[in-house]
Amino acid sequence: MTALNRRTLIAGAALPLFAIRTRPAHAAEFSLKLANNAPITHPQTVRAMEAAERIKAATSGRLELQVFPNNQLGSDTDMLSQLRSGAIDFFTLSGLILATLVPVASINGIGFAFKDYDTVWKAMDGKLGALVRAEIEKRGLIAMDKMWDNGFRQITSSTHPIKTPDDLKGFKIRVPVSPLWTSMFQALGASPISINFSEVYSALQTKIAEGQENPLTLIQIAKLYEVQKYVSLTSHMWDGFWMLTNKKSFTALPEDLQQVLARELNKSALDERADIAKLNGSVAEDLKSKGLVFEDVNKPAFRDALKTAGFYAEWKKKYGDEAWAVLEGEVGSLA
Ligand code: X2X
């Protein structure tokens, strides 16, 4: 693949729109669109396409789900508007970005809240996830029961390694468009810049941002190692995607089709979680071989910096005591 092609694939901007069709549109009784920001080879896209195949088979072709990956329909901000207007039927979005519409949806991203995946899935398949889904529904959207994994996020840099919280002072770090992300990196003394994922590769390449933070699997699949040199294993938050649908258009579908959609999308979510878990086993070695320099960091030092800055107290107040108690019920005390 040429450099230009690769860039446009990641940015998604210069590509003509196309859908990965499972059947000609005119043949299906219902044709729905699913969109995401993930590269075509990311398990999120691969498993969404498999769900589309199973849905076609299970409905004998009555229902076609067209998958538009890789920001083909626009940035996350654009796609969220399209979902709300009904132009897109399904959209996978980070809870933290969804928080621009549903404030409590960023709660799983509170710094250093989750210690491991067991705690994550117990919370998100349990009480914390249920709380967030209830709020999502109040805003005219529905989230499928099973969340999709993005991962524990790690900080990368092209200028200097981030070894201690001090190394973040004034660090120009790209963060997704989300109040929690901005607040957290401000609390750490960095200079966060909100940029949609569709623009991340070029923002790093042109040094608009020195660094960014994402799970290792995404750093690998989106080839961010090409424009970054260091990675610090901070695991500063866990991030996942809600499979969202427009409540009005979803509930207008015949009930049997709603059930097939929910069942198959939830199955693919679990398959995607397993894919990421598997990739997590080999991704660090692969990134090292591609030239990324790894730094192990003292995580409690970063957490203490957040605490000292009043980050936990501020967000407890924002979410309210009830939601905070549900979070602490899952992860332990954050005070
Ligand atoms: O925008 C990001 O960094 C990404 C891909 O991780 C999310 O969708 C939150």
Side-chain angles (χ1 to χ4, degrees), residues 37 76 94 97 150 153 174 176 181 197 214 218 239 241:
N37 73 5
D76 278 335
S94 161
I97 303 176
N150 191 4
R153 299 180 76 98
R174 170 273 172 174
W181 252 304
F197 189 66
N214 249 304
L218 202 70
D239 177 36
F241 301 102

Side-chain angles (χ1 to χ4, degrees), residues 98 101-102 104-105 131-143 242 244-245:
L98 176 62
L101 175 69
V102 183
V104 79
L131 178 139
V132 173
R133 285 198 304 280
E135 291 302 313
I136 291 172
E137 214 170 323
K138 289 183 192 156
R139 305 309 303 257
L141 302 175
I142 294 174
W242 288 110
L244 302 169
T245 184

Side-chain angles (χ1 to χ4, degrees), residues 4 9 12 31 37 64 67 73 118 143 154 183 186 202 207 213 233 241 252 254 272 288 291 309 325 329:
L4 179 67
L9 256 182
S31 182
N37 73 5
E64 175 198 50
V67 179
L73 299 187
D118 285 348
Q154 322 296 347
S183 157
Q186 276 170 349
S202 63
K207 303 261 190 327
E213 43 79 66
L233 299 177
F241 301 102
E272 189 260 5
K288 278 177 199 164

